[in-house]
Amino acid sequence: MPRSDPDSPDALGTPSRRAALRLLDAVLRRGEPLEQALVAATRHVYGPDRGLAHAIAAEVLRRLPDLDALIDSVTERPLPDDAKARMALRIALVQALVLGTPHHAAIATVLPLIDGGPRKLVHGVFGAITRSGVLLPERPALPPLVEARWDAAWGAEMVEGAQAAIAAPPPLDVTLADPAETDQWVTALGGVSLMPGHVRIHDADPVTDLPGFAEGRWWVQDIAASIPARLLAGAGAGGGTALDLCAAPGGKTLQLAAAGFAVAAVDVSNARIKRLRENLFRTRLKAEVIAADVLKWAPEAPVDALLIDAPCSATGIFRRHPDVLHRVHPPIVEEMAGLQRRLFARAADWVKPGGTLVFATCSLEAAEGEAQLADFLSARGDYAVDAPDATLLPPGIPVSPAGYVRTLPGMLADRGGCDGFFIVRLRRTA
């Protein structure tokens, strides 16, 4: 095997680290979602190297405050947040302390990233930290502004749950096309089930290699993300008409179609609609797919059931996408909340009297959940909260006294956790 040359930009292993640097720059400096930045950042790396670049960047984002605390502990003056020396140290340290990369390889593959900068400083700081035998904390620190916001909203127990949840990528959840086959797929996939129609797999193989994927017997969907459609189907309108707004990539559309609804799925993004169509084809489920802006489009007639999986800050999926902790700030939350209010108010007119509306966001911000519900009910006397029966929810996820469902970090922790969601089911009374 050729030796790594730390003085060469083409040193063995360096291209994947350079791609990780581009990914981190896209997230931390430009505010791009990690997955969105992946294609451009990894355009010169392939196969396992691409996966390694993604893994390095994601782990840096999971551990960023703690990595920076280590770096600052051995430097006389703090390095600028956006300095390449700091970024290179983050990449080297997360490899050595989290991913198990040999120390010599971790440092040799990042020194070329400095491009003529303070390599001796980077090498010295890395050596001082790794020789000390220091370890990263078991529970990573959250970014200070996020911790303060969540502590004020939910309390210290939630913050501790979030710290535990961010420590490692979560297990893989799948939703089954036929809940009656739950035991069969638990065995076939080597997983566990938290409720009918769900299987959780720890240390899963690549999704496309798992039994049942090609045949469309299931689709990937966190257990919390499956609750909105479960509540809609549980309202007793199966076989009626349903609208799934902001539907792509289609997990909830597939649930509604499998439950017997005649579904129309609406989304504004052509790229995401392509994935929705692929998922429908693979699962052999049927839905009408409509490319449209919901704020400009309207259905021809009211429906029995309506699901608003509203665009949001996505802070609830931070354990899968740790970049949200670093790029979502209060102005973004405020902007998304405004969009949700307009969408909620407009779409509520599309439900038949006696019909059901479920509003959901994968957000841990009250402005995108509890506050939306309060504003909506104050403006719409023709809607009332329809609290779900506990049997529609996984054991360990409660119905709030006000009748909605709020999933928080720490829930189901002993079984692998769940994403953060706000979900409310409403009945149109007139």
Side-chain angles (χ1 to χ4, degrees), residues 22 63 158 191 260 350 367 371 411 424:
R22 289 194 292 266
R63 305 276 184 168
M158 180 275 199
W350 303 343
M411 291 183 179
V424 63

Side-chain angles (χ1 to χ4, degrees), residues 262-302:
V263 189
V266 186
D267 202 280
V268 71
S269 167
N270 287 325
R272 287 167 59 84
I273 283 175
K274 181 176 182 291
R275 290 181 60 197
L276 191 157
R277 291 187 187 278
E278 290 170 351
N279 285 327
L280 286 168
F281 179 80
R282 181 175 60 83
T283 58
R284 298 170 179 81
L285 292 168
K286 296 187 181 301
E288 179 186 4
V289 179
I290 301 167
D293 181 345
V294 174
L295 293 176
K296 299 176 182 178
W297 174 88
E300 294 180 358

Side-chain angles (χ1 to χ4, degrees), residues 364-386:
L364 286 166
E365 316 303 327
E368 298 181 277
E370 289 81 355
Q372 292 291 339
L373 176 61
D375 289 349
F376 179 81
L377 292 177
S378 69
R380 299 292 299 238
D382 57 338
Y383 273 92
V385 173
D386 182 15

Side-chain angles (χ1 to χ4, degrees), residues 190-255:
V192 297
S193 179
L194 304 190
M195 66 183 308
H198 164 268
V199 178
R200 170 161 289 179
I201 312 161
H202 295 270
D203 301 319
D205 292 333
V207 169
T208 55
D209 293 343
L210 292 173
F213 174 83
E215 296 80 12
R217 301 312 303 154
W218 50 262
W219 50 90
V220 175
Q221 187 176 42
D222 185 79
I223 193 165
S226 75
I227 293 174
R230 288 179 183 271
L231 298 194
L232 205 57
T241 54
L243 267 179
D244 183 7
L245 304 183
C246 313
K252 299 173 182 66
T253 296
L254 300 179
Q255 285 180 275

Side-chain angles (χ1 to χ4, degrees), residues 7 44 77 97 112 152 211 214 224 242 275 302 306 323 329 359 375 380 428-429:
D7 295 322
H44 298 308
R77 290 178 295 179
L97 302 179
R275 290 181 60 197
L306 180 110
D323 53 293
H329 305 292
F359 174 86
D375 289 349
R380 299 292 299 238
R428 189 170 192 184
T429 58

Side-chain angles (χ1 to χ4, degrees), residues 176 178-199:
L176 306 179
D178 184 356
E181 298 178 348
T182 301
D183 290 344
Q184 169 190 331
W185 287 108
V186 165
T187 300
L189 295 168
V192 297
S193 179
L194 304 190
M195 66 183 308
H198 164 268
V199 178

